[in-house]
Amino acid sequence: MNTMRLSFLLGGVLALAAGLSSCGGEAPADSAKTQAILDMKRATDHHSYSRPEEAVVTHLNWNAAVDFDTRVITATATYDIETAADAERIIFDCTDLTIQTVRVDGEAVDFELGPAQPFIGQPLSFPVSGDSRQVSIDYQSSPEAGALLWVEGDNPFLFTQSQAILARTWIPCQDSPGIRFTYEAHVDVPQGTMALMSATNPTAQSADGHYDFRMDQKIPSYLLALAVGNVEFRSVGAHTGVYAVPELIEAAAYEFAEMEDLLVAAENLYGKYAWERYDLLVLPPAFPFGGMENPRLTFATPTIIAGDRSLVSLVAHELAHSWSGNLVTNATWDDFWLNEGFTVYFEQRIMEAVYGRDVSEMLATLSYQGLVDEVDAIMDLNPDDTHLKLHLQNRDPDDGLTAIAYDKGYFFLRRIEEVVGRETFDSFLKTYFATHAFSVMDTDRFIDYLKSVLLTSDELLAAVDLDAWIFGPGLPENCPTVSSARIERVDAALAGWEAGTTATRDLPWNDWVYQERYRFLSNLDDGTSPERLAELDAAWGISTTGNNEVLFAWLEQSIRSQYQPSYERLETFLVEIGRRKFLTPLYKAMVDTDQKALADAIYAKARPSYHSVSTGTMDELLAWSE
Ligand SMILES: [Zn+2]
């Protein structure tokens, strides 16, 4: 996923009543039948009720009908299961699902829905035995299902966002990243729309609204994904293509034309791509994240269509997840850095291979800037949240979506690269992905693996200092330094302009790429006067830029400087776009500068079009109540 929660902005750890049911590791273990069962003995997932060591799913057959009028998915989820010899029950995770009928090997059985707990929903449990092979659940989703966003209007659209624990709001599942299964699906949707999943996908609309899918590689439930809308497909390479609504398909095909190059670069680095095709779906602007690495089909925000291919690092990030995350998966959300830290490192390496170190080091410099800011903020609130290894029991796993997992994780791996050398580290990573493919990894196992094959001497261990990085607060002293001559020139130009030089004469704005423009705008002094922003806008027409990263930095500074001419653009931006990475700092800037009434007025208009992931954060930030 490409996102930052900026959870520190919200303050306060959610203190929940103790006693949440968490079942991993409690059931008597039988001789393990599957790798899934073996893997799950190693780490306890506090965010799932399932007990895979007793009964675990191996394959899903999902038969579903999507109704836009009622905003309900009516479906049957049939799972093949494996059970321990003395198994008595199987447990699924559910949130806001209406369960109608449950069958075990074709026979209807009584089922039990336990009480709903904060964040993790309800356990659905029913009897099975050591001989049970298949279970089947008839159910309906709720119109308020947290994973689903229904877009109304002339072009209705539905998409899901399952990570971290929202898959259970649209499919009853054993919703733990350590449990993998294959799936097939049959989905009925309105005529005039195409259905797409994290699976084999159609490239044209069917006449009757029926679509069939297969996913033959084992995935965890958080990678279950569905989108429905009037989209078209364009191939951009031998194994790559884009889906978008007709109005955006040409722009998308141009913007992402280099996807095949990124895929080739990734394979050259860390081994063969395991998922056959890599396609990208451009979602409506309400999508709460930059991208989501749904296997075979990345879901992406349209805000990365800049017209000049300048924001493709997001594609490199989602593509990298095809190895880190989708192939080798964090065992629990406490180990989230294993997904995201590796992915940022891999993303940087793809960017370096395709666009040069000049470009990748600019990105690394911006990532360092964001990390330092976020570490400072989180240290004030909850220093433990700056450890790579998190403790999210009784909390929303979404709290772990900060720059720590992403960028502290990245700099940790970059430190190891510094110590052992690039060639050695690359060969380590290639072997790591191959050895643990389609499996799970937790922090302790990773440390054991690292010590056994890479950091094999006391000298190497001392040079890296695993404890400081993984179990310690803030940024360790041996954090690698990044430098970019281009960024340094931007900083010098900014200092000069703040000391009184003239925008049109002294700033090479038109020669700058977006990273340089972003650096300039995001480092402007909070107290910059509206008159000086007017000077920049008059010189470079910044408020009409097509690059949403640059526009975002401009709007945030406009709020801090109370530069009123930007406010109309600010409102349309916030009403149209639901990407949380942009929303949180913009609303927060309004709150910080005594413009909360403005924030409330805009939010009242925008909120109905946001996904639950974004409203969850913004409701808290603005103390919103309906
Ligand atoms: Zn990611």
Side-chain angles (χ1 to χ4, degrees):
M1 190 158 27
N2 189 301
T3 175
M4 295 293 155
R5 155 93 190 235
L6 301 177
S7 64
F8 68 89
L9 298 171
L10 306 174
V13 176
L14 292 155
L16 294 173
L20 289 195
S21 165
S22 76
C23 308
E26 289 172 14
D30 182 46
S31 63
K33 290 181 178 179
T34 67
Q35 188 59 42
I37 291 175
L38 261 179
D39 283 338
M40 283 310 296
K41 285 182 180 165
R42 296 170 183 273
T44 300
D45 181 2
H46 299 292
H47 293 105
S48 173
Y49 293 103
S50 58
R51 300 184 188 190
E53 62 282 3
E54 184 173 2
V56 68
V57 302
T58 59
H59 179 78
L60 165 66
N61 186 332
W62 192 57
N63 202 311
V66 173
D67 186 339
F68 278 82
D69 293 332
T70 57
R71 300 186 164 199
V72 164
I73 295 174
T74 303
T76 301
T78 301
Y79 284 102
D80 296 343
I81 60 169
E82 289 191 4
T83 50
D86 57 355
E88 294 179 351
R89 304 188 79 71
I90 189 164
I91 306 178
F92 291 86
D93 297 295
C94 297
T95 297
D96 296 334
L97 297 179
T98 304
I99 307 295
Q100 291 151 333
T101 314
V102 172
R103 289 178 295 278
V104 176
D105 292 321
E107 299 288 325
V109 297
D110 289 338
F111 60 88
E112 207 177 304
L113 264 176
Q117 300 284 358
F119 312 120
I120 59 174
Q122 295 175 280
L124 165 66
S125 114
F126 49 90
V128 294
S129 73
D131 298 326
S132 303
R133 289 295 165 261
Q134 196 177 66
V135 303
S136 190
I137 305 163
D138 299 335
Y139 71 97
Q140 287 192 318
S141 66
S142 151
E144 278 76 48
L148 306 180
L149 190 84
W150 305 83
V151 179
E152 289 180 336
D154 295 341
N155 290 305
F157 209 107
L158 165 68
F159 65 81
T160 63
Q161 168 57 40
S162 296
Q163 196 183 23
I165 53 170
L166 297 177
R168 65 190 68 174
T169 71
W170 63 288
I171 299 185
C173 54
Q174 293 189 319
D175 200 5
S176 176
I179 300 174
R180 305 181 83 95
F181 53 93
T182 51
Y183 78 87
E184 63 197 290
H186 177 86
V187 184
D188 290 340
V189 298
Q191 285 180 23
T193 61
M194 195 192 293
L196 298 167
M197 294 192 78
S198 49
T200 54
N201 274 307
T203 54
Q205 289 189 15
S206 73
D208 55 7
H210 301 317
Y211 293 91
D212 290 298
F213 303 90
R214 288 196 67 81
M215 172 45 94
D216 292 330
Q217 289 95 348
K218 292 188 291 176
I219 61 159
S221 52
Y222 78 88
L223 296 175
L224 285 168
L226 171 71
V228 182
N230 176 24
V231 295
E232 293 178 13
F233 174 76
R234 286 277 191 289
S235 173
V236 299
H239 311 88
T240 48
V242 293
Y243 293 86
V245 293
E247 308 86 88
L248 279 180
I249 190 70
E250 292 303 333
Y254 175 82
E255 200 78 27
F256 307 119
E258 293 158 351
M259 271 165 48
E260 193 81 18
D261 297 342
L262 301 175
L263 179 60
V264 169
E267 287 193 319
N268 286 341
L269 282 163
Y270 300 127
K272 190 164 166 40
Y273 180 72
W275 308 88
E276 298 163 51
R277 286 199 59 85
Y278 181 75
D279 296 316
L280 182 145
L281 167 64
V282 178
L283 287 176
F287 186 53
F289 296 126
M292 177 63 212
E293 64 272 20
N294 297 314
R296 297 183 71 111
L297 184 67
T298 282
F299 283 17
T301 170
T303 62
I304 56 168
I305 298 181
D308 59 4
R309 302 176 179 168
S310 56
L311 299 178
V312 298
S313 66
L314 184 126
V315 180
H317 180 94
E318 305 311 331
L319 173 64
H321 270 304
S322 306
W323 287 259
S324 46
N326 297 4
L327 206 55
V328 185
T329 306
N330 54 206
T332 76
W333 300 113
D334 290 346
D335 308 300
F336 187 52
W337 74 274
L338 289 170
N339 272 18
E340 295 301 346
F342 277 74
T343 297
V344 174
Y345 179 85
F346 196 166
E347 166 198 346
Q348 292 281 354
R349 294 295 304 277
I350 295 171
M351 292 302 288
E352 182 182 326
V354 178
Y355 301 103
R357 191 161 171 90
D358 201 27
V359 168
S360 63
E361 284 299 276
M362 276 198 293
L363 291 168
T365 307
L366 297 183
S367 132
Y368 184 77
Q369 177 188 338
L371 176 60
V372 169
D373 290 349
E374 190 139 327
V375 164
D376 284 350
I378 303 177
M379 284 299 282
D380 286 345
L381 293 165
N382 188 0
D384 288 359
D385 282 355
T386 66
H387 303 187
L388 286 177
K389 167 74 176 177
L390 296 173
H391 297 280
L392 296 171
Q393 187 172 12
N394 299 349
R395 295 171 65 187
D396 188 339
D398 202 44
D399 286 357
L401 265 71
T402 71
I404 301 304
Y406 290 77
D407 298 309
K408 185 178 177 183
Y410 163 71
F411 281 103
F412 169 51
L413 296 176
R414 188 166 159 150
R415 175 61 190 161
I416 300 177
E417 182 206 313
E418 272 183 2
V419 169
V420 301
R422 177 168 278 197
E423 212 175 311
T424 304
F425 192 51
D426 278 356
S427 121
F428 164 82
L429 283 179
K430 200 168 175 175
T431 307
Y432 170 74
F433 290 131
T435 308
H436 302 97
F438 297 106
S439 180
V440 294
M441 185 55 65
D442 62 68
T443 302
D444 290 339
R445 277 177 71 201
F446 178 71
I447 292 171
D448 290 346
Y449 181 71
L450 198 59
K451 286 179 174 171
S452 68
V453 302
L454 188 68
L455 304 179
T456 48
S457 73
D458 290 344
E459 290 73 24
L460 291 171
L461 282 167
V464 172
D465 197 352
L466 296 175
D467 278 349
W469 281 96
I470 297 173
F471 303 109
L475 277 182
E477 281 174 16
N478 64 12
C479 184
T481 51
V482 277
S483 68
S484 159
R486 287 169 69 170
I487 293 292
E488 281 165 23
R489 284 196 291 276
V490 172
D491 292 347
L494 172 60
W497 184 75
E498 289 191 326
T501 63
T502 307
T504 40
R505 200 183 54 227
D506 301 304
L507 296 180
W509 183 267
N510 286 335
D511 299 333
W512 282 345
V513 294
Y514 107 82
Q515 291 93 335
E516 293 163 304
R517 294 175 177 185
Y518 179 88
R519 173 74 168 203
F520 180 88
L521 293 175
S522 64
N523 277 5
L524 282 169
D525 190 272
D526 280 359
T528 306
S529 71
E531 292 74 26
R532 294 228 77 194
L533 289 197
E535 183 201 341
L536 292 175
D537 206 10
W540 312 118
I542 302 172
S543 50
T544 61
T545 174
N547 185 302
N548 283 297
E549 295 282 346
V550 173
L551 181 60
F552 158 71
W554 171 250
L555 292 175
E556 187 179 9
Q557 185 57 46
S558 295
I559 295 166
R560 296 199 180 276
S561 295
Q562 309 219 8
Y563 176 61
Q564 303 283 339
S566 287
Y567 280 23
E568 204 179 313
R569 188 74 192 86
L570 171 68
E571 180 170 327
T572 50
F573 186 86
L574 287 172
V575 170
E576 275 167 17
I577 293 174
R579 189 175 171 189
R580 187 169 63 180
K581 171 185 138 167
F582 294 149
L583 306 189
T584 309
L586 292 176
Y587 283 112
K588 180 169 187 299
M590 287 185 263
V591 172
D592 286 351
T593 53
D594 293 329
Q595 301 176 84
K596 177 146 189 312
L598 177 65
D600 287 342
I602 295 176
Y603 189 53
K605 281 186 210 170
R607 191 177 183 281
S609 65
Y610 291 164
H611 187 272
S612 73
V613 160
S614 290
T615 56
T617 305
M618 262 22 84
D619 284 358
E620 212 175 329
L621 174 65
L622 298 173
W624 186 262
S625 56
E626 283 183 279

PDB file of all heavy atoms in Angstrom, residues 1-3 163 291 293 317-318 321 324 336 339-340 343-344 347 406, ligand 1:
ATOM      1  N   MET A   1       0.850  -1.174   0.000  1.00  0.00           N
ATOM      2  CA  MET A   1       0.000   0.000   0.000  1.00  0.00           C
ATOM      3  C   MET A   1       0.894   1.234   0.000  1.00  0.00           C
ATOM      4  O   MET A   1       1.963   1.229   0.581  1.00  0.00           O
ATOM      5  CB  MET A   1      -0.854  -0.043   1.257  1.00  0.00           C
ATOM      6  CG  MET A   1      -1.928   0.950   1.286  1.00  0.00           C
ATOM      7  SD  MET A   1      -3.269   0.537   2.398  1.00  0.00           S
ATOM      8  CE  MET A   1      -2.560  -0.469   3.653  1.00  0.00           C
ATOM      9  N   ASN A   2       0.441   2.247  -0.647  1.00  0.00           N
ATOM     10  CA  ASN A   2       1.218   3.472  -0.648  1.00  0.00           C
ATOM     11  C   ASN A   2       0.399   4.530   0.051  1.00  0.00           C
ATOM     12  O   ASN A   2      -0.531   5.092  -0.483  1.00  0.00           O
ATOM     13  CB  ASN A   2       1.515   3.900  -2.089  1.00  0.00           C
ATOM     14  CG  ASN A   2       2.499   5.037  -2.113  1.00  0.00           C
ATOM     15  OD1 ASN A   2       2.234   6.082  -1.551  1.00  0.00           O
ATOM     16  ND2 ASN A   2       3.630   4.816  -2.741  1.00  0.00           N
ATOM     17  N   THR A   3       0.782   4.797   1.276  1.00  0.00           N
ATOM     18  CA  THR A   3      -0.058   5.658   2.086  1.00  0.00           C
ATOM     19  C   THR A   3       0.680   6.060   3.327  1.00  0.00           C
ATOM     20  O   THR A   3       1.643   5.440   3.726  1.00  0.00           O
ATOM     21  CB  THR A   3      -1.307   4.901   2.543  1.00  0.00           C
ATOM     22  OG1 THR A   3      -2.032   5.742   3.420  1.00  0.00           O
ATOM     23  CG2 THR A   3      -0.934   3.650   3.285  1.00  0.00           C
ATOM     24  N   GLN A 163      -7.217  -4.284   2.917  1.00  0.00           N
ATOM     25  CA  GLN A 163      -6.147  -4.151   3.902  1.00  0.00           C
ATOM     26  C   GLN A 163      -6.478  -3.014   4.870  1.00  0.00           C
ATOM     27  O   GLN A 163      -6.946  -1.967   4.410  1.00  0.00           O
ATOM     28  CB  GLN A 163      -4.828  -3.833   3.204  1.00  0.00           C
ATOM     29  CG  GLN A 163      -3.609  -4.060   4.088  1.00  0.00           C
ATOM     30  CD  GLN A 163      -2.297  -3.677   3.396  1.00  0.00           C
ATOM     31  OE1 GLN A 163      -2.288  -2.884   2.479  1.00  0.00           O
ATOM     32  NE2 GLN A 163      -1.202  -4.241   3.852  1.00  0.00           N
ATOM     33  N   GLY A 291      -2.062   3.679  -3.813  1.00  0.00           N
ATOM     34  CA  GLY A 291      -2.211   2.435  -4.546  1.00  0.00           C
ATOM     35  C   GLY A 291      -2.390   1.284  -3.587  1.00  0.00           C
ATOM     36  O   GLY A 291      -2.056   1.392  -2.404  1.00  0.00           O
ATOM     37  N   GLU A 293      -1.717  -2.991  -3.596  1.00  0.00           N
ATOM     38  CA  GLU A 293      -1.016  -4.002  -4.374  1.00  0.00           C
ATOM     39  C   GLU A 293      -1.821  -5.271  -4.585  1.00  0.00           C
ATOM     40  O   GLU A 293      -1.290  -6.372  -4.432  1.00  0.00           O
ATOM     41  CB  GLU A 293       0.309  -4.319  -3.677  1.00  0.00           C
ATOM     42  CG  GLU A 293       0.189  -4.956  -2.267  1.00  0.00           C
ATOM     43  CD  GLU A 293       0.100  -3.962  -1.122  1.00  0.00           C
ATOM     44  OE1 GLU A 293      -0.247  -2.789  -1.382  1.00  0.00           O
ATOM     45  OE2 GLU A 293       0.374  -4.337   0.033  1.00  0.00           O
ATOM     46  N   HIS A 317       6.361   1.126  -6.531  1.00  0.00           N
ATOM     47  CA  HIS A 317       6.076   0.662  -5.172  1.00  0.00           C
ATOM     48  C   HIS A 317       5.100  -0.521  -5.193  1.00  0.00           C
ATOM     49  O   HIS A 317       5.359  -1.571  -4.598  1.00  0.00           O
ATOM     50  CB  HIS A 317       5.506   1.814  -4.338  1.00  0.00           C
ATOM     51  CG  HIS A 317       5.179   1.434  -2.928  1.00  0.00           C
ATOM     52  ND1 HIS A 317       6.067   1.617  -1.894  1.00  0.00           N
ATOM     53  CD2 HIS A 317       4.079   0.858  -2.384  1.00  0.00           C
ATOM     54  CE1 HIS A 317       5.519   1.172  -0.772  1.00  0.00           C
ATOM     55  NE2 HIS A 317       4.306   0.715  -1.047  1.00  0.00           N
ATOM     56  N   GLU A 318       3.976  -0.340  -5.877  1.00  0.00           N
ATOM     57  CA  GLU A 318       2.962  -1.411  -5.890  1.00  0.00           C
ATOM     58  C   GLU A 318       3.506  -2.658  -6.572  1.00  0.00           C
ATOM     59  O   GLU A 318       3.235  -3.787  -6.147  1.00  0.00           O
ATOM     60  CB  GLU A 318       1.674  -0.937  -6.557  1.00  0.00           C
ATOM     61  CG  GLU A 318       1.056   0.332  -5.966  1.00  0.00           C
ATOM     62  CD  GLU A 318       0.924   0.320  -4.452  1.00  0.00           C
ATOM     63  OE1 GLU A 318       0.780  -0.760  -3.863  1.00  0.00           O
ATOM     64  OE2 GLU A 318       0.983   1.405  -3.848  1.00  0.00           O
ATOM     65  N   HIS A 321       5.626  -4.741  -4.324  1.00  0.00           N
ATOM     66  CA  HIS A 321       4.842  -5.570  -3.404  1.00  0.00           C
ATOM     67  C   HIS A 321       4.568  -6.966  -3.969  1.00  0.00           C
ATOM     68  O   HIS A 321       4.223  -7.883  -3.203  1.00  0.00           O
ATOM     69  CB  HIS A 321       3.495  -4.909  -3.105  1.00  0.00           C
ATOM     70  CG  HIS A 321       3.511  -3.984  -1.921  1.00  0.00           C
ATOM     71  ND1 HIS A 321       3.922  -4.390  -0.675  1.00  0.00           N
ATOM     72  CD2 HIS A 321       3.136  -2.686  -1.792  1.00  0.00           C
ATOM     73  CE1 HIS A 321       3.795  -3.363   0.172  1.00  0.00           C
ATOM     74  NE2 HIS A 321       3.326  -2.321  -0.485  1.00  0.00           N
ATOM     75  N   SER A 324       7.614  -8.352  -2.025  1.00  0.00           N
ATOM     76  CA  SER A 324       7.576  -8.063  -0.587  1.00  0.00           C
ATOM     77  C   SER A 324       6.147  -7.734  -0.189  1.00  0.00           C
ATOM     78  O   SER A 324       5.629  -6.679  -0.511  1.00  0.00           O
ATOM     79  CB  SER A 324       8.500  -6.889  -0.270  1.00  0.00           C
ATOM     80  OG  SER A 324       8.301  -5.843  -1.204  1.00  0.00           O
ATOM     81  N   PHE A 336       4.261  -5.270  10.123  1.00  0.00           N
ATOM     82  CA  PHE A 336       3.920  -4.559   8.887  1.00  0.00           C
ATOM     83  C   PHE A 336       5.156  -3.996   8.173  1.00  0.00           C
ATOM     84  O   PHE A 336       5.207  -3.890   6.962  1.00  0.00           O
ATOM     85  CB  PHE A 336       2.949  -3.430   9.241  1.00  0.00           C
ATOM     86  CG  PHE A 336       2.357  -2.685   8.078  1.00  0.00           C
ATOM     87  CD1 PHE A 336       1.735  -3.343   7.029  1.00  0.00           C
ATOM     88  CD2 PHE A 336       2.386  -1.290   8.042  1.00  0.00           C
ATOM     89  CE1 PHE A 336       1.165  -2.640   5.970  1.00  0.00           C
ATOM     90  CE2 PHE A 336       1.817  -0.580   6.991  1.00  0.00           C
ATOM     91  CZ  PHE A 336       1.209  -1.261   5.954  1.00  0.00           C
ATOM     92  N   ASN A 339       6.475  -5.888   5.264  1.00  0.00           N
ATOM     93  CA  ASN A 339       5.845  -5.606   3.967  1.00  0.00           C
ATOM     94  C   ASN A 339       6.344  -4.282   3.389  1.00  0.00           C
ATOM     95  O   ASN A 339       6.781  -4.209   2.237  1.00  0.00           O
ATOM     96  CB  ASN A 339       4.323  -5.503   4.125  1.00  0.00           C
ATOM     97  CG  ASN A 339       3.620  -6.846   4.003  1.00  0.00           C
ATOM     98  OD1 ASN A 339       4.248  -7.893   4.129  1.00  0.00           O
ATOM     99  ND2 ASN A 339       2.319  -6.804   3.777  1.00  0.00           N
ATOM    100  N   GLU A 340       6.246  -3.219   4.181  1.00  0.00           N
ATOM    101  CA  GLU A 340       6.419  -1.882   3.602  1.00  0.00           C
ATOM    102  C   GLU A 340       7.868  -1.404   3.537  1.00  0.00           C
ATOM    103  O   GLU A 340       8.264  -0.726   2.588  1.00  0.00           O
ATOM    104  CB  GLU A 340       5.559  -0.867   4.348  1.00  0.00           C
ATOM    105  CG  GLU A 340       4.060  -1.100   4.207  1.00  0.00           C
ATOM    106  CD  GLU A 340       3.545  -1.064   2.777  1.00  0.00           C
ATOM    107  OE1 GLU A 340       4.265  -0.595   1.869  1.00  0.00           O
ATOM    108  OE2 GLU A 340       2.400  -1.526   2.562  1.00  0.00           O
ATOM    109  N   THR A 343       9.389  -2.986   0.664  1.00  0.00           N
ATOM    110  CA  THR A 343       8.807  -2.480  -0.579  1.00  0.00           C
ATOM    111  C   THR A 343       9.368  -1.111  -0.936  1.00  0.00           C
ATOM    112  O   THR A 343       9.650  -0.833  -2.107  1.00  0.00           O
ATOM    113  CB  THR A 343       7.271  -2.445  -0.466  1.00  0.00           C
ATOM    114  OG1 THR A 343       6.808  -3.789  -0.292  1.00  0.00           O
ATOM    115  CG2 THR A 343       6.639  -1.852  -1.712  1.00  0.00           C
ATOM    116  N   VAL A 344       9.567  -0.247   0.055  1.00  0.00           N
ATOM    117  CA  VAL A 344      10.161   1.058  -0.257  1.00  0.00           C
ATOM    118  C   VAL A 344      11.604   0.864  -0.746  1.00  0.00           C
ATOM    119  O   VAL A 344      12.036   1.497  -1.714  1.00  0.00           O
ATOM    120  CB  VAL A 344      10.106   2.010   0.955  1.00  0.00           C
ATOM    121  CG1 VAL A 344      10.860   3.312   0.654  1.00  0.00           C
ATOM    122  CG2 VAL A 344       8.655   2.329   1.311  1.00  0.00           C
ATOM    123  N   GLU A 347      11.296  -0.456  -4.244  1.00  0.00           N
ATOM    124  CA  GLU A 347      10.817   0.645  -5.097  1.00  0.00           C
ATOM    125  C   GLU A 347      11.978   1.565  -5.493  1.00  0.00           C
ATOM    126  O   GLU A 347      12.138   1.941  -6.665  1.00  0.00           O
ATOM    127  CB  GLU A 347       9.753   1.440  -4.319  1.00  0.00           C
ATOM    128  CG  GLU A 347       9.374   2.805  -4.913  1.00  0.00           C
ATOM    129  CD  GLU A 347       8.660   3.699  -3.889  1.00  0.00           C
ATOM    130  OE1 GLU A 347       8.220   3.185  -2.828  1.00  0.00           O
ATOM    131  OE2 GLU A 347       8.547   4.908  -4.137  1.00  0.00           O
ATOM    132  N   TYR A 406       7.328   2.248   6.638  1.00  0.00           N
ATOM    133  CA  TYR A 406       7.789   2.514   5.274  1.00  0.00           C
ATOM    134  C   TYR A 406       9.245   2.999   5.258  1.00  0.00           C
ATOM    135  O   TYR A 406      10.121   2.371   4.668  1.00  0.00           O
ATOM    136  CB  TYR A 406       6.911   3.585   4.619  1.00  0.00           C
ATOM    137  CG  TYR A 406       5.509   3.131   4.302  1.00  0.00           C
ATOM    138  CD1 TYR A 406       4.541   3.035   5.299  1.00  0.00           C
ATOM    139  CD2 TYR A 406       5.140   2.803   3.005  1.00  0.00           C
ATOM    140  CE1 TYR A 406       3.253   2.618   5.004  1.00  0.00           C
ATOM    141  CE2 TYR A 406       3.848   2.397   2.691  1.00  0.00           C
ATOM    142  CZ  TYR A 406       2.903   2.304   3.694  1.00  0.00           C
ATOM    143  OH  TYR A 406       1.632   1.887   3.413  1.00  0.00           O
TER     144      TYR A 406
HETATM  145 ZN    ZN B   1       3.078  -0.361   0.227  1.00  0.00          ZN
END
